[in-house]
Amino acid sequence: MSKAFTKEPDGDEDEDDVPQGLPPGAKNYMRPQGYQALRDELNQLARVERPKVVEVVSWAAGNGDRSENGDYLYGKKRLREIDRRIRFLNKRLDSAHVVDPSQQKNREQVFFGATVTYANARDEEVTVTIVGIDEANLERGLISWISPIARALLKAAEGDSVPVRTPAGTEMIEVIAIRYEG
């Protein structure tokens, strides 16, 4: 059978069309900065990268034998990657629930978008910001709201000690400070 008549799986979504990485029924929360970053990436791919690749592919297609034409073969592969990413970004943006942490009224408790400083069992102070799954970046201290630490911290107040499940067992962490940045 020709490959033209087969559908390649996206890898973006599961059968239930729930955004990848989210628990079933969960909302895709995102800060305004995260939403804008995804929009910027989508615009870059759709308006800059994709047209350049299409141009290369059409030029390469005009050169004759496509079966051994590296520009054509690589270009078609890159085009599929770009289109897959564009579909993924569109689904994520469509399902996004943008939450602005600066609008949080109850600043005494940890909610989505909070920057929290806590002390772990080794008395090390760690500062993290609770963000959407598409924004998470541990190196920058951005943790997903569905991560075990974020789930343990949610609704905690300064001075509270909360249990966190880790691979090594349950660990207690103490909330030292909570702030919401605009």
Side-chain angles (χ1 to χ4, degrees):
M1 175 185 269
S2 169
K3 213 174 166 187
F5 297 105
T6 61
K7 182 176 185 320
E8 293 180 5
D10 282 351
D12 298 341
E13 307 292 322
D14 60 19
E15 301 84 40
D16 299 326
D17 209 29
V18 173
Q20 183 180 12
L22 284 173
K27 293 184 178 180
N28 184 20
Y29 293 113
M30 208 176 281
R31 296 178 309 157
Q33 305 94 303
Y35 186 83
Q36 189 58 47
L38 291 183
R39 296 248 348 132
D40 292 346
E41 182 183 355
L42 177 62
N43 287 333
Q44 172 70 19
L45 288 172
R47 294 201 171 110
V48 178
E49 273 192 60
R50 191 174 194 289
K52 285 181 185 176
V53 175
V54 166
E55 187 178 317
V56 169
V57 169
S58 62
W59 168 81
N63 288 340
D65 185 13
R66 297 175 185 171
S67 65
E68 295 180 12
N69 187 331
D71 287 331
Y72 179 80
L73 295 174
Y74 173 76
K76 291 293 281 185
K77 180 181 179 197
R78 181 67 184 132
L79 211 50
R80 283 191 301 273
E81 292 168 355
I82 290 171
D83 288 343
R84 187 176 296 124
R85 183 68 180 166
I86 287 173
R87 281 192 308 275
F88 173 80
L89 291 171
N90 277 322
K91 287 178 184 178
R92 284 298 218 212
L93 291 168
D94 288 347
S95 69
H97 292 283
V98 180
V99 177
D100 189 351
S102 66
Q103 303 299 313
Q104 180 57 253
K105 292 182 183 7
N106 182 357
R107 294 174 176 258
E108 305 300 315
Q109 284 184 298
V110 177
F111 294 104
F112 181 85
T115 299
V116 182
T117 302
Y118 67 88
N120 60 23
R122 295 172 298 284
D123 265 349
E124 299 167 331
E125 283 192 15
V126 180
T127 300
V128 295
T129 301
I130 300 173
V131 298
I133 62 172
D134 296 311
E135 304 172 82
N137 182 338
L138 193 54
E139 293 171 357
R140 294 179 44 215
L142 303 173
I143 62 170
S144 167
W145 68 274
I146 61 171
S147 69
I149 290 178
R151 285 182 166 218
L153 289 170
L154 286 174
K155 297 188 180 176
E158 286 183 19
D160 287 356
S161 289
V162 294
V164 177
R165 287 190 186 152
T166 67
T170 302
E171 178 181 321
M172 295 300 287
I173 59 175
E174 181 184 351
V175 179
I176 297 172
I178 303 168
R179 70 180 186 280
Y180 290 89
E181 298 168 0

